Amino acid sequence: MKPSTDTTTTPPTDVLGQQWLIMGDINSGKTTRCRQWLQQLCEQGLGARIAVLDLAPHIPPAMAQARGLAGAGGYLLPPANSGVLDLRTQLHAPRLSSSTEADAEAKAAQNAAAINALLQRLPRPGSGRDVLFVNDVTLYLQAHIAGYATLIVNGYWGQRLGDSPLSRREKAQTQLLREHFARHGRVVDLVV
Protein backbone atom coordinates (compact mmCIF):
# COMPACT_ATOMS: atom_id res chain seq x y z
CA MET A 1 0.00 0.00 0.00
CA LYS A 2 1.29 3.43 -0.92
CA PRO A 3 1.39 5.84 2.03
CA SER A 4 -0.54 9.04 1.44
CA THR A 5 -2.37 11.97 2.86
CA ASP A 6 -6.07 11.82 2.10
CA THR A 7 -8.70 14.52 2.45
CA THR A 8 -11.62 12.53 1.05
CA THR A 9 -14.71 11.88 3.13
CA THR A 10 -15.72 8.59 1.52
CA PRO A 11 -14.98 5.62 3.77
CA PRO A 12 -12.90 2.87 2.18
CA THR A 13 -14.63 -0.37 1.35
CA ASP A 14 -12.16 -2.23 3.56
CA VAL A 15 -9.90 -0.76 6.23
CA LEU A 16 -8.47 -4.11 7.33
CA GLY A 17 -4.73 -4.57 7.08
CA GLN A 18 -4.11 -0.83 6.87
CA GLN A 19 -3.00 1.92 9.22
CA TRP A 20 -5.01 5.13 9.25
CA LEU A 21 -4.41 8.39 11.10
CA ILE A 22 -7.39 10.71 11.03
CA MET A 23 -6.46 14.27 11.96
CA GLY A 24 -8.44 17.46 12.30
CA ASP A 25 -9.46 20.35 14.48
CA ILE A 26 -12.30 20.22 17.00
CA ASN A 27 -15.64 19.22 15.43
CA SER A 28 -14.07 18.17 12.13
CA GLY A 29 -15.51 14.63 12.32
CA LYS A 30 -12.56 12.53 13.54
CA THR A 31 -14.56 10.46 16.02
CA THR A 32 -17.58 10.32 13.72
CA ARG A 33 -15.39 8.86 10.94
CA CYS A 34 -13.97 6.24 13.32
CA ARG A 35 -17.46 5.44 14.62
CA GLN A 36 -18.62 4.78 11.03
CA TRP A 37 -15.69 2.46 10.35
CA LEU A 38 -16.16 0.68 13.69
CA GLN A 39 -19.83 0.14 12.88
CA GLN A 40 -18.90 -1.14 9.41
CA LEU A 41 -16.48 -3.72 10.83
CA CYS A 42 -18.94 -4.82 13.51
CA GLU A 43 -21.64 -5.30 10.87
CA GLN A 44 -19.19 -7.66 9.16
CA GLY A 45 -19.09 -9.73 12.37
CA LEU A 46 -15.55 -8.68 13.32
CA GLY A 47 -16.27 -7.28 16.80
CA ALA A 48 -14.32 -10.01 18.60
CA ARG A 49 -11.19 -8.91 16.72
CA ILE A 50 -11.53 -5.25 17.73
CA ALA A 51 -10.27 -3.29 20.73
CA VAL A 52 -11.19 0.35 21.27
CA LEU A 53 -8.81 2.48 23.33
CA ASP A 54 -10.85 5.63 23.95
CA LEU A 55 -8.68 8.44 25.28
CA ALA A 56 -11.23 11.23 24.83
CA PRO A 57 -11.32 13.46 27.87
CA HIS A 58 -14.45 14.30 29.81
CA ILE A 59 -15.52 17.77 28.67
CA PRO A 60 -18.68 19.03 30.35
CA PRO A 61 -20.92 20.69 27.75
CA ALA A 62 -21.01 23.95 29.74
CA MET A 63 -17.18 24.12 29.73
CA ALA A 64 -17.00 23.53 25.99
CA GLN A 65 -19.79 26.03 25.34
CA ALA A 66 -18.08 28.68 27.48
CA ARG A 67 -14.96 28.34 25.34
CA GLY A 68 -16.85 28.32 22.05
CA LEU A 69 -16.10 24.63 21.45
CA ALA A 70 -19.50 22.95 21.66
CA GLY A 71 -19.30 19.30 20.65
CA ALA A 72 -15.66 18.84 21.65
CA GLY A 73 -14.55 15.52 23.12
CA GLY A 74 -16.70 12.85 21.50
CA TYR A 75 -16.46 9.27 22.71
CA LEU A 76 -16.00 6.27 20.41
CA LEU A 77 -18.64 3.88 21.72
CA PRO A 78 -18.82 0.41 20.13
CA PRO A 79 -22.21 -0.94 19.07
CA ALA A 80 -24.06 -2.82 21.81
CA ASN A 81 -23.36 -6.57 21.98
CA SER A 82 -20.71 -6.31 19.27
CA GLY A 83 -17.97 -8.17 21.18
CA VAL A 84 -15.62 -5.18 20.93
CA LEU A 85 -13.22 -4.77 23.86
CA ASP A 86 -13.93 -1.24 25.07
CA LEU A 87 -11.13 0.35 27.12
CA ARG A 88 -11.67 3.81 28.58
CA THR A 89 -11.17 5.78 31.76
CA GLN A 90 -12.00 9.22 33.12
CA LEU A 91 -9.51 11.71 31.65
CA HIS A 92 -9.12 15.48 31.94
CA ALA A 93 -9.08 18.02 29.11
CA PRO A 94 -5.94 19.81 30.37
CA ARG A 95 -6.09 22.91 28.19
CA LEU A 96 -9.83 23.43 28.55
CA SER A 97 -10.14 22.76 32.27
CA SER A 98 -7.05 24.58 33.55
CA SER A 99 -6.49 28.21 34.43
CA THR A 100 -2.68 27.94 34.46
CA GLU A 101 -0.07 26.10 32.44
CA ALA A 102 1.12 24.35 35.63
CA ASP A 103 -2.40 23.04 36.24
CA ALA A 104 -2.62 21.83 32.62
CA GLU A 105 0.73 20.04 32.98
CA ALA A 106 -0.41 18.37 36.22
CA LYS A 107 -3.62 17.16 34.58
CA ALA A 108 -1.66 15.86 31.58
CA ALA A 109 0.54 13.87 34.00
CA GLN A 110 -2.57 12.43 35.70
CA ASN A 111 -3.90 11.46 32.27
CA ALA A 112 -0.63 9.71 31.42
CA ALA A 113 -0.84 7.59 34.59
CA ALA A 114 -4.48 6.67 33.91
CA ILE A 115 -3.70 5.79 30.30
CA ASN A 116 -0.74 3.65 31.36
CA ALA A 117 -3.17 1.60 33.43
CA LEU A 118 -5.42 1.19 30.36
CA LEU A 119 -2.46 0.13 28.23
CA GLN A 120 -1.81 -2.72 30.66
CA ARG A 121 -5.26 -4.07 29.73
CA LEU A 122 -4.74 -3.66 25.98
CA PRO A 123 -4.47 -7.05 24.24
CA ARG A 124 -1.10 -7.57 22.63
CA PRO A 125 -0.70 -8.45 18.97
CA GLY A 126 -1.27 -12.16 18.43
CA SER A 127 -4.11 -12.27 20.98
CA GLY A 128 -6.81 -12.51 18.30
CA ARG A 129 -7.69 -8.83 18.65
CA ASP A 130 -5.79 -7.50 15.69
CA VAL A 131 -7.85 -4.37 15.02
CA LEU A 132 -7.22 -1.38 17.27
CA PHE A 133 -9.14 1.89 17.25
CA VAL A 134 -7.57 4.71 19.27
CA ASN A 135 -9.77 7.73 19.90
CA ASP A 136 -7.96 10.99 20.69
CA VAL A 137 -4.38 9.70 20.59
CA THR A 138 -2.95 13.17 21.08
CA LEU A 139 -3.71 13.01 24.81
CA TYR A 140 -0.99 10.42 25.15
CA LEU A 141 1.43 9.79 22.34
CA GLN A 142 3.64 6.74 22.51
CA ALA A 143 4.64 3.62 20.59
CA HIS A 144 2.50 1.05 22.47
CA ILE A 145 0.20 0.75 19.44
CA ALA A 146 2.67 -0.87 17.05
CA GLY A 147 2.15 -4.44 15.82
CA TYR A 148 -1.59 -4.39 15.08
CA ALA A 149 -2.58 -5.48 11.56
CA THR A 150 -5.22 -2.77 11.35
CA LEU A 151 -4.79 0.51 13.14
CA ILE A 152 -7.31 3.36 13.00
CA VAL A 153 -6.31 6.33 15.14
CA ASN A 154 -7.62 9.87 15.43
CA GLY A 155 -6.25 12.92 17.12
CA TYR A 156 -6.37 16.67 17.39
CA TRP A 157 -4.55 18.68 14.73
CA GLY A 158 -5.72 22.26 14.74
CA GLN A 159 -5.46 25.76 16.10
CA ARG A 160 -8.59 26.24 18.21
CA LEU A 161 -7.03 25.10 21.50
CA GLY A 162 -4.46 27.88 21.33
CA ASP A 163 -0.71 28.13 21.65
CA SER A 164 0.90 27.09 24.93
CA PRO A 165 3.92 25.00 25.90
CA LEU A 166 1.64 21.95 26.26
CA SER A 167 0.10 22.60 22.82
CA ARG A 168 3.50 23.06 21.19
CA ARG A 169 4.85 19.82 22.72
CA GLU A 170 1.73 17.92 21.64
CA LYS A 171 1.99 19.35 18.11
CA ALA A 172 5.65 18.32 17.81
CA GLN A 173 4.84 14.77 18.96
CA THR A 174 1.79 14.61 16.70
CA GLN A 175 3.93 15.69 13.74
CA LEU A 176 6.15 12.64 14.35
CA LEU A 177 3.05 10.46 14.44
CA ARG A 178 1.82 12.01 11.19
CA GLU A 179 5.18 11.29 9.55
CA HIS A 180 5.02 7.65 10.69
CA PHE A 181 1.52 7.20 9.25
CA ALA A 182 2.50 9.01 6.04
CA ARG A 183 5.31 6.45 5.57
CA HIS A 184 3.43 3.32 6.70
CA GLY A 185 -0.25 4.03 6.19
CA ARG A 186 -2.52 6.93 5.42
CA VAL A 187 -3.26 10.31 6.96
CA VAL A 188 -6.74 11.77 6.58
CA ASP A 189 -6.98 15.51 7.31
CA LEU A 190 -10.49 16.69 8.08
CA VAL A 191 -11.45 20.31 7.65
CA VAL A 192 -14.23 22.05 9.57
Side-chain angles (χ1 to χ4, degrees):
M1 170 184 64
K2 181 179 183 261
S4 68
T5 298
D6 186 347
T7 58
T8 64
T9 58
T10 306
T13 56
D14 189 6
V15 298
L16 290 177
Q18 300 181 45
Q19 296 187 7
W20 292 83
L21 178 63
I22 300 162
M23 304 299 299
D25 209 331
I26 292 172
N27 291 324
S28 60
K30 301 176 302 290
T31 302
T32 299
R33 174 76 54 91
C34 287
R35 193 176 298 117
Q36 291 168 344
W37 292 357
L38 178 60
Q39 178 73 33
Q40 176 185 345
L41 293 176
C42 288
E43 287 172 357
Q44 294 173 19
L46 301 176
R49 291 177 54 186
I50 301 170
V52 169
L53 180 61
D54 197 333
L55 306 179
H58 173 68
I59 303 174
M63 179 194 308
Q65 186 70 31
R67 300 203 184 229
L69 301 171
Y75 295 117
L76 181 59
L77 298 170
N81 303 314
S82 62
V84 171
L85 177 62
D86 186 18
L87 300 172
R88 64 186 67 243
T89 191
Q90 186 81 18
L91 298 171
H92 303 283
R95 290 171 289 201
L96 294 180
S97 66
S98 301
S99 57
T100 67
E101 187 63 29
D103 188 31
E105 293 284 351
K107 288 177 181 175
Q110 290 173 354
N111 283 348
I115 294 168
N116 273 332
L118 274 183
L119 290 173
Q120 297 303 311
R121 296 176 39 212
L122 188 65
R124 298 296 174 217
S127 69
R129 291 204 186 261
D130 63 342
V131 177
L132 176 63
F133 280 79
V134 180
N135 190 37
D136 214 344
V137 72
T138 47
L139 266 156
Y140 193 80
L141 294 169
Q142 63 172 285
H144 286 85
I145 56 177
Y148 287 86
T150 303
L151 189 56
I152 301 167
V153 176
N154 74 55
Y156 173 75
W157 184 256
Q159 303 298 320
R160 294 182 64 195
L161 291 177
D163 184 38
S164 67
L166 182 63
S167 292
R168 287 189 295 275
R169 187 172 66 244
E170 177 189 84
K171 188 166 190 144
Q173 293 174 354
T174 303
Q175 181 60 39
L176 295 173
L177 191 64
R178 289 176 64 88
E179 291 167 6
H180 168 82
F181 274 84
R183 283 190 310 274
H184 302 287
R186 295 185 66 160
V187 176
V188 176
D189 285 302
L190 303 179
V191 180
V192 181

